[in-house]
């Protein structure tokens, strides 16, 4: 989605609950594409604060003009992480930058971001109607768990067990894998098995 927004100059929205790897993914994209700008928003981020942060990331003065900003962002991708923290006026600023420059914008956050974009009574249609690439992230699919296990040298045959006890949450899966390896070693096991994963999940929940 980030690449589509970047190359096509579109607005995308990617939402999902905490721990699915959204922030890790956009930071990886930023490293791979130096012409992308990542803004990590905080609670209470106003439209003015957002503009100042964009100016700062572009190396412009906080007091830089709108004209300077528009010139600097052409052909770039603006990614705003934790965009659910933005007030509606700040979200509108992102849309206006897109409309005036044609750059891609990717808004990333928790599921409530979709409601913030549309409004409780769908009063913000002008903003949400610009979204071309919406994506709601669910739990990790089994094939992703297999790839993660292979990347850290673990038995991919354990993927279904890891998926079940992590609930498909990337962050929980990461903890479960690392702690399962430690538990196996402490108990003199050569490698992790299903019993170790089950016991480790009980320890982590406790």
């Amino acid at each position: 989605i980030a690449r589509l927004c970047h190359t096509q100059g579109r607005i995308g929205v990617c939402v999902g609950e905490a721990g699915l790897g959204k922030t890790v993914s956009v930071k990886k994209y930023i490293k791979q594409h130096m012409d992308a700008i990542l803004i990590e928003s905080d609670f209470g981020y106003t439209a003015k604060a957002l503009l100042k942060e964009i100016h700062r990331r572009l190396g412009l003065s906080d007091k830089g003009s709108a004209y300077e900003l528009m010139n600097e962002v052409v052909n770039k991708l603006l990614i705003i992480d934790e965009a659910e923290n933005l007030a509606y006026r700040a979200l509108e600023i992102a849309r206006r930058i897109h409309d005036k420059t044609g750059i891609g914008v990717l808004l990333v956050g928790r599921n409530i971001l979709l409601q913030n974009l549309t409004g409780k009574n769908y009063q913000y249609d002008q903003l949400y109607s610009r979204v071309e690439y919406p994506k709601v992230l669910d739990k990790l699919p089994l094939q992703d768990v297999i790839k993660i296990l292979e990347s850290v040298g673990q038995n991919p045959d354990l993927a279904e067990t890891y998926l079940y006890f992590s609930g498909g949450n990337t962050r929980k899966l990461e903890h479960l894998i690392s702690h399962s390896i430690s538990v196996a070693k402490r108990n003199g096991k050569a490698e992790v098995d299903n019993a170790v994963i089950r016991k480790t999940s009980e320890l982590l929940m406790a």
Side-chain angles (χ1 to χ4, degrees):
I1 292 175
R3 196 61 189 152
L4 284 170
C5 292
H6 200 163
T7 57
Q8 302 299 318
R10 307 298 186 185
I11 297 180
V13 176
C14 186
V15 299
E17 293 307 317
L20 292 178
K22 301 182 300 295
T23 298
V24 172
S25 297
V26 294
K27 285 185 174 179
K28 181 176 181 179
Y29 188 88
I30 288 292
K31 285 185 178 180
Q32 293 173 339
H33 302 89
M34 301 304 291
D35 53 344
I37 307 162
L38 175 61
I39 305 294
E40 297 177 271
S41 65
D42 295 317
F43 286 107
Y45 237 56
T46 63
K48 185 177 181 180
L50 177 62
L51 274 174
K52 281 189 173 183
E53 182 64 12
I54 294 172
H55 272 80
R56 189 179 71 80
R57 292 300 175 93
L58 292 170
L60 300 173
S61 164
D62 283 351
K63 297 180 176 59
S65 68
Y67 177 78
E68 288 177 313
L69 174 62
M70 299 307 173
N71 280 338
E72 286 293 329
V73 297
V74 172
N75 297 325
K76 290 182 170 61
L77 172 66
L78 174 61
I79 302 177
I80 303 178
D81 193 19
E82 299 190 24
E84 75 275 10
N85 294 331
L86 295 181
Y88 177 72
R89 287 189 64 190
L91 291 169
E92 265 289 286
I93 287 292
R95 181 199 55 90
R96 290 180 63 188
I97 291 174
H98 162 76
D99 286 356
K100 289 182 177 296
T101 65
I103 71 163
V105 175
L106 177 59
L107 304 174
V108 180
R110 292 184 292 114
N111 292 333
I112 194 174
L113 173 59
L114 289 178
Q115 181 178 306
N116 294 350
L117 288 169
T118 57
K120 290 183 179 179
N121 299 310
Y122 297 95
Q123 68 269 39
Y124 300 150
D125 282 349
Q126 184 179 18
L127 177 55
Y128 191 71
S129 66
R130 296 293 202 284
V131 176
E132 300 240 3
Y133 304 118
K135 176 66 176 178
V136 178
L137 297 176
D138 199 356
K139 65 179 184 179
L140 283 171
L142 181 63
Q143 59 265 32
D144 282 1
V145 178
I146 291 172
K147 289 180 180 179
I148 290 170
L149 290 174
E150 289 175 342
S151 73
V152 294
Q154 292 297 297
N155 185 357
D157 292 340
L158 299 172
E160 288 189 6
T161 306
Y162 271 119
L163 179 61
Y164 177 80
F165 286 106
S166 67
N169 183 284
T170 312
R171 189 175 298 152
K172 291 179 181 177
L173 176 63
E174 179 185 7
H175 292 161
L176 185 57
I177 292 172
S178 61
H179 286 286
S180 292
I181 293 171
S182 297
V183 169
K185 287 181 178 178
R186 284 200 303 269
N187 286 274
K189 289 180 172 287
E191 58 184 27
V192 174
D193 58 23
N194 290 316
V196 168
I197 298 170
R198 183 170 57 252
K199 185 62 178 178
T200 303
S201 71
E202 294 172 359
L203 295 173
L204 291 178
M205 289 177 66

